[in-house]
PDB file of all heavy atoms in Angstrom:
ATOM      1  N   ASN A 114       2.159 -46.516  25.059  1.00  0.00           N
ATOM      2  CA  ASN A 114       2.509 -46.913  23.690  1.00  0.00           C
ATOM      3  C   ASN A 114       1.484 -46.459  22.648  1.00  0.00           C
ATOM      4  O   ASN A 114       1.609 -46.811  21.472  1.00  0.00           O
ATOM      5  CB  ASN A 114       2.674 -48.432  23.600  1.00  0.00           C
ATOM      6  CG  ASN A 114       3.902 -48.921  24.359  1.00  0.00           C
ATOM      7  OD1 ASN A 114       4.911 -48.225  24.419  1.00  0.00           O
ATOM      8  ND2 ASN A 114       3.812 -50.111  24.956  1.00  0.00           N
ATOM      9  N   LEU A 115       0.494 -45.709  23.066  1.00  0.00           N
ATOM     10  CA  LEU A 115      -0.526 -45.260  22.120  1.00  0.00           C
ATOM     11  C   LEU A 115       0.086 -44.294  21.106  1.00  0.00           C
ATOM     12  O   LEU A 115       0.723 -43.302  21.476  1.00  0.00           O
ATOM     13  CB  LEU A 115      -1.674 -44.580  22.868  1.00  0.00           C
ATOM     14  CG  LEU A 115      -2.837 -44.091  22.007  1.00  0.00           C
ATOM     15  CD1 LEU A 115      -3.505 -45.265  21.291  1.00  0.00           C
ATOM     16  CD2 LEU A 115      -3.851 -43.330  22.852  1.00  0.00           C
ATOM     17  N   GLU A 116      -0.127 -44.605  19.810  1.00  0.00           N
ATOM     18  CA  GLU A 116       0.456 -43.800  18.736  1.00  0.00           C
ATOM     19  C   GLU A 116      -0.586 -43.048  17.913  1.00  0.00           C
ATOM     20  O   GLU A 116      -0.360 -41.899  17.536  1.00  0.00           O
ATOM     21  CB  GLU A 116       1.279 -44.698  17.797  1.00  0.00           C
ATOM     22  CG  GLU A 116       2.479 -45.347  18.469  1.00  0.00           C
ATOM     23  CD  GLU A 116       3.235 -46.264  17.527  1.00  0.00           C
ATOM     24  OE1 GLU A 116       2.746 -46.464  16.380  1.00  0.00           O
ATOM     25  OE2 GLU A 116       4.298 -46.781  17.916  1.00  0.00           O
ATOM     26  N   LYS A 117      -1.713 -43.687  17.624  1.00  0.00           N
ATOM     27  CA  LYS A 117      -2.656 -43.075  16.687  1.00  0.00           C
ATOM     28  C   LYS A 117      -4.084 -43.282  17.142  1.00  0.00           C
ATOM     29  O   LYS A 117      -4.479 -44.384  17.525  1.00  0.00           O
ATOM     30  CB  LYS A 117      -2.458 -43.667  15.287  1.00  0.00           C
ATOM     31  CG  LYS A 117      -3.358 -43.053  14.230  1.00  0.00           C
ATOM     32  CD  LYS A 117      -2.944 -43.488  12.829  1.00  0.00           C
ATOM     33  CE  LYS A 117      -3.110 -44.975  12.623  1.00  0.00           C
ATOM     34  NZ  LYS A 117      -2.829 -45.377  11.227  1.00  0.00           N
ATOM     35  N   VAL A 118      -4.862 -42.171  17.064  1.00  0.00           N
ATOM     36  CA  VAL A 118      -6.296 -42.197  17.328  1.00  0.00           C
ATOM     37  C   VAL A 118      -6.968 -41.589  16.108  1.00  0.00           C
ATOM     38  O   VAL A 118      -6.749 -40.418  15.785  1.00  0.00           O
ATOM     39  CB  VAL A 118      -6.657 -41.410  18.605  1.00  0.00           C
ATOM     40  CG1 VAL A 118      -8.168 -41.410  18.805  1.00  0.00           C
ATOM     41  CG2 VAL A 118      -5.953 -41.994  19.822  1.00  0.00           C
ATOM     42  N   ASN A 119      -7.794 -42.373  15.424  1.00  0.00           N
ATOM     43  CA  ASN A 119      -8.407 -41.916  14.176  1.00  0.00           C
ATOM     44  C   ASN A 119      -9.685 -41.115  14.382  1.00  0.00           C
ATOM     45  O   ASN A 119     -10.300 -40.690  13.407  1.00  0.00           O
ATOM     46  CB  ASN A 119      -8.704 -43.109  13.269  1.00  0.00           C
ATOM     47  CG  ASN A 119      -7.439 -43.710  12.682  1.00  0.00           C
ATOM     48  OD1 ASN A 119      -6.464 -43.003  12.434  1.00  0.00           O
ATOM     49  ND2 ASN A 119      -7.439 -45.022  12.479  1.00  0.00           N
ATOM     50  N   GLY A 120     -10.090 -40.909  15.623  1.00  0.00           N
ATOM     51  CA  GLY A 120     -11.282 -40.115  15.908  1.00  0.00           C
ATOM     52  C   GLY A 120     -10.992 -39.098  16.990  1.00  0.00           C
ATOM     53  O   GLY A 120      -9.844 -38.683  17.206  1.00  0.00           O
ATOM     54  N   ASN A 121     -12.049 -38.689  17.701  1.00  0.00           N
ATOM     55  CA  ASN A 121     -11.879 -37.743  18.802  1.00  0.00           C
ATOM     56  C   ASN A 121     -11.256 -38.443  20.003  1.00  0.00           C
ATOM     57  O   ASN A 121     -11.361 -39.663  20.166  1.00  0.00           O
ATOM     58  CB  ASN A 121     -13.229 -37.147  19.198  1.00  0.00           C
ATOM     59  CG  ASN A 121     -13.861 -36.364  18.059  1.00  0.00           C
ATOM     60  OD1 ASN A 121     -13.153 -35.835  17.198  1.00  0.00           O
ATOM     61  ND2 ASN A 121     -15.184 -36.291  18.056  1.00  0.00           N
ATOM     62  N   MET A 122     -10.636 -37.633  20.871  1.00  0.00           N
ATOM     63  CA  MET A 122     -10.100 -38.151  22.130  1.00  0.00           C
ATOM     64  C   MET A 122     -10.653 -37.291  23.264  1.00  0.00           C
ATOM     65  O   MET A 122     -10.343 -36.107  23.362  1.00  0.00           O
ATOM     66  CB  MET A 122      -8.568 -38.125  22.137  1.00  0.00           C
ATOM     67  CG  MET A 122      -7.979 -38.793  23.385  1.00  0.00           C
ATOM     68  SD  MET A 122      -6.192 -39.082  23.283  1.00  0.00           S
ATOM     69  CE  MET A 122      -5.574 -37.411  23.321  1.00  0.00           C
ATOM     70  N   ASP A 123     -11.486 -37.933  24.122  1.00  0.00           N
ATOM     71  CA  ASP A 123     -12.160 -37.225  25.212  1.00  0.00           C
ATOM     72  C   ASP A 123     -11.789 -37.917  26.519  1.00  0.00           C
ATOM     73  O   ASP A 123     -12.238 -39.042  26.787  1.00  0.00           O
ATOM     74  CB  ASP A 123     -13.674 -37.245  24.984  1.00  0.00           C
ATOM     75  CG  ASP A 123     -14.426 -36.387  25.991  1.00  0.00           C
ATOM     76  OD1 ASP A 123     -13.774 -35.802  26.879  1.00  0.00           O
ATOM     77  OD2 ASP A 123     -15.665 -36.300  25.879  1.00  0.00           O
ATOM     78  N   LEU A 124     -10.968 -37.251  27.336  1.00  0.00           N
ATOM     79  CA  LEU A 124     -10.500 -37.806  28.604  1.00  0.00           C
ATOM     80  C   LEU A 124     -10.975 -36.890  29.719  1.00  0.00           C
ATOM     81  O   LEU A 124     -10.565 -35.722  29.783  1.00  0.00           O
ATOM     82  CB  LEU A 124      -8.968 -37.916  28.621  1.00  0.00           C
ATOM     83  CG  LEU A 124      -8.319 -38.640  27.425  1.00  0.00           C
ATOM     84  CD1 LEU A 124      -6.798 -38.630  27.565  1.00  0.00           C
ATOM     85  CD2 LEU A 124      -8.841 -40.065  27.295  1.00  0.00           C
ATOM     86  N   SER A 125     -11.827 -37.422  30.590  1.00  0.00           N
ATOM     87  CA  SER A 125     -12.394 -36.612  31.666  1.00  0.00           C
ATOM     88  C   SER A 125     -12.463 -37.446  32.939  1.00  0.00           C
ATOM     89  O   SER A 125     -12.949 -38.590  32.915  1.00  0.00           O
ATOM     90  CB  SER A 125     -13.798 -36.120  31.272  1.00  0.00           C
ATOM     91  OG  SER A 125     -14.380 -35.382  32.319  1.00  0.00           O
ATOM     92  N   GLY A 126     -11.956 -36.881  34.049  1.00  0.00           N
ATOM     93  CA  GLY A 126     -11.993 -37.613  35.320  1.00  0.00           C
ATOM     94  C   GLY A 126     -11.144 -36.931  36.369  1.00  0.00           C
ATOM     95  O   GLY A 126     -10.626 -35.824  36.179  1.00  0.00           O
ATOM     96  N   ASN A 127     -10.970 -37.663  37.483  1.00  0.00           N
ATOM     97  CA  ASN A 127     -10.189 -37.160  38.612  1.00  0.00           C
ATOM     98  C   ASN A 127      -8.750 -37.662  38.485  1.00  0.00           C
ATOM     99  O   ASN A 127      -8.235 -38.372  39.354  1.00  0.00           O
ATOM    100  CB  ASN A 127     -10.833 -37.635  39.921  1.00  0.00           C
ATOM    101  CG  ASN A 127     -10.239 -36.958  41.137  1.00  0.00           C
ATOM    102  OD1 ASN A 127      -9.658 -35.878  41.040  1.00  0.00           O
ATOM    103  ND2 ASN A 127     -10.368 -37.605  42.294  1.00  0.00           N
ATOM    104  N   PHE A 128      -8.090 -37.258  37.412  1.00  0.00           N
ATOM    105  CA  PHE A 128      -6.773 -37.814  37.089  1.00  0.00           C
ATOM    106  C   PHE A 128      -5.671 -37.084  37.852  1.00  0.00           C
ATOM    107  O   PHE A 128      -5.672 -35.859  37.969  1.00  0.00           O
ATOM    108  CB  PHE A 128      -6.487 -37.701  35.585  1.00  0.00           C
ATOM    109  CG  PHE A 128      -7.498 -38.392  34.710  1.00  0.00           C
ATOM    110  CD1 PHE A 128      -8.256 -37.680  33.795  1.00  0.00           C
ATOM    111  CD2 PHE A 128      -7.689 -39.760  34.807  1.00  0.00           C
ATOM    112  CE1 PHE A 128      -9.178 -38.312  32.986  1.00  0.00           C
ATOM    113  CE2 PHE A 128      -8.620 -40.403  34.004  1.00  0.00           C
ATOM    114  CZ  PHE A 128      -9.370 -39.675  33.089  1.00  0.00           C
ATOM    115  N   ASP A 129      -4.720 -37.915  38.327  1.00  0.00           N
ATOM    116  CA  ASP A 129      -3.468 -37.365  38.852  1.00  0.00           C
ATOM    117  C   ASP A 129      -2.343 -37.478  37.820  1.00  0.00           C
ATOM    118  O   ASP A 129      -1.363 -36.735  37.894  1.00  0.00           O
ATOM    119  CB  ASP A 129      -3.055 -38.108  40.133  1.00  0.00           C
ATOM    120  CG  ASP A 129      -4.014 -37.841  41.284  1.00  0.00           C
ATOM    121  OD1 ASP A 129      -4.668 -36.775  41.263  1.00  0.00           O
ATOM    122  OD2 ASP A 129      -4.119 -38.698  42.180  1.00  0.00           O
ATOM    123  N   ARG A 130      -2.525 -38.400  36.880  1.00  0.00           N
ATOM    124  CA  ARG A 130      -1.490 -38.593  35.863  1.00  0.00           C
ATOM    125  C   ARG A 130      -2.127 -39.127  34.591  1.00  0.00           C
ATOM    126  O   ARG A 130      -2.961 -40.028  34.635  1.00  0.00           O
ATOM    127  CB  ARG A 130      -0.417 -39.565  36.363  1.00  0.00           C
ATOM    128  CG  ARG A 130       0.709 -39.796  35.361  1.00  0.00           C
ATOM    129  CD  ARG A 130       1.731 -40.774  35.902  1.00  0.00           C
ATOM    130  NE  ARG A 130       2.805 -41.012  34.944  1.00  0.00           N
ATOM    131  CZ  ARG A 130       3.785 -41.891  35.126  1.00  0.00           C
ATOM    132  NH1 ARG A 130       3.821 -42.617  36.248  1.00  0.00           N
ATOM    133  NH2 ARG A 130       4.721 -42.052  34.217  1.00  0.00           N
ATOM    134  N   ILE A 131      -1.698 -38.571  33.478  1.00  0.00           N
ATOM    135  CA  ILE A 131      -2.081 -39.061  32.153  1.00  0.00           C
ATOM    136  C   ILE A 131      -0.792 -39.239  31.367  1.00  0.00           C
ATOM    137  O   ILE A 131      -0.028 -38.283  31.187  1.00  0.00           O
ATOM    138  CB  ILE A 131      -3.025 -38.087  31.420  1.00  0.00           C
ATOM    139  CG1 ILE A 131      -4.333 -37.927  32.203  1.00  0.00           C
ATOM    140  CG2 ILE A 131      -3.317 -38.578  30.011  1.00  0.00           C
ATOM    141  CD1 ILE A 131      -5.277 -36.910  31.590  1.00  0.00           C
ATOM    142  N   SER A 132      -0.548 -40.448  30.899  1.00  0.00           N
ATOM    143  CA  SER A 132       0.693 -40.755  30.191  1.00  0.00           C
ATOM    144  C   SER A 132       0.381 -41.060  28.725  1.00  0.00           C
ATOM    145  O   SER A 132      -0.300 -42.046  28.422  1.00  0.00           O
ATOM    146  CB  SER A 132       1.391 -41.947  30.854  1.00  0.00           C
ATOM    147  OG  SER A 132       2.586 -42.261  30.169  1.00  0.00           O
ATOM    148  N   LEU A 133       0.899 -40.183  27.836  1.00  0.00           N
ATOM    149  CA  LEU A 133       0.715 -40.339  26.378  1.00  0.00           C
ATOM    150  C   LEU A 133       2.058 -40.117  25.680  1.00  0.00           C
ATOM    151  O   LEU A 133       2.159 -39.359  24.718  1.00  0.00           O
ATOM    152  CB  LEU A 133      -0.320 -39.331  25.859  1.00  0.00           C
ATOM    153  CG  LEU A 133      -1.728 -39.421  26.452  1.00  0.00           C
ATOM    154  CD1 LEU A 133      -2.552 -38.204  26.045  1.00  0.00           C
ATOM    155  CD2 LEU A 133      -2.417 -40.697  25.999  1.00  0.00           C
ATOM    156  N   GLY A 134       3.083 -40.788  26.166  1.00  0.00           N
ATOM    157  CA  GLY A 134       4.447 -40.506  25.723  1.00  0.00           C
ATOM    158  C   GLY A 134       4.720 -40.734  24.256  1.00  0.00           C
ATOM    159  O   GLY A 134       5.512 -40.010  23.640  1.00  0.00           O
ATOM    160  N   ASP A 135       4.089 -41.745  23.614  1.00  0.00           N
ATOM    161  CA  ASP A 135       4.387 -42.077  22.214  1.00  0.00           C
ATOM    162  C   ASP A 135       3.316 -41.589  21.242  1.00  0.00           C
ATOM    163  O   ASP A 135       3.308 -42.004  20.077  1.00  0.00           O
ATOM    164  CB  ASP A 135       4.542 -43.595  22.060  1.00  0.00           C
ATOM    165  CG  ASP A 135       5.820 -44.109  22.710  1.00  0.00           C
ATOM    166  OD1 ASP A 135       6.708 -43.278  22.986  1.00  0.00           O
ATOM    167  OD2 ASP A 135       5.922 -45.326  22.949  1.00  0.00           O
ATOM    168  N   LEU A 136       2.428 -40.731  21.688  1.00  0.00           N
ATOM    169  CA  LEU A 136       1.338 -40.283  20.824  1.00  0.00           C
ATOM    170  C   LEU A 136       1.886 -39.503  19.626  1.00  0.00           C
ATOM    171  O   LEU A 136       2.682 -38.579  19.777  1.00  0.00           O
ATOM    172  CB  LEU A 136       0.374 -39.404  21.622  1.00  0.00           C
ATOM    173  CG  LEU A 136      -0.918 -39.010  20.907  1.00  0.00           C
ATOM    174  CD1 LEU A 136      -1.740 -40.243  20.548  1.00  0.00           C
ATOM    175  CD2 LEU A 136      -1.732 -38.054  21.769  1.00  0.00           C
ATOM    176  N   GLU A 137       1.423 -39.905  18.424  1.00  0.00           N
ATOM    177  CA  GLU A 137       1.888 -39.274  17.186  1.00  0.00           C
ATOM    178  C   GLU A 137       0.795 -38.506  16.463  1.00  0.00           C
ATOM    179  O   GLU A 137       1.049 -37.413  15.949  1.00  0.00           O
ATOM    180  CB  GLU A 137       2.464 -40.337  16.243  1.00  0.00           C
ATOM    181  CG  GLU A 137       3.721 -41.016  16.773  1.00  0.00           C
ATOM    182  CD  GLU A 137       4.252 -42.060  15.813  1.00  0.00           C
ATOM    183  OE1 GLU A 137       3.590 -42.296  14.767  1.00  0.00           O
ATOM    184  OE2 GLU A 137       5.312 -42.643  16.098  1.00  0.00           O
TER     185      GLU A 137
END
Side-chain angles (χ1 to χ4, degrees):
N114 291 327
L115 182 62
E116 296 178 354
K117 182 169 64 175
V118 177
N119 288 328
N121 298 332
M122 186 168 68
D123 187 359
L124 308 178
S125 178
N127 190 22
F128 302 118
D129 293 335
R130 181 181 179 185
I131 298 176
S132 179
L133 300 169
D135 289 343
L136 188 61
E137 295 180 356

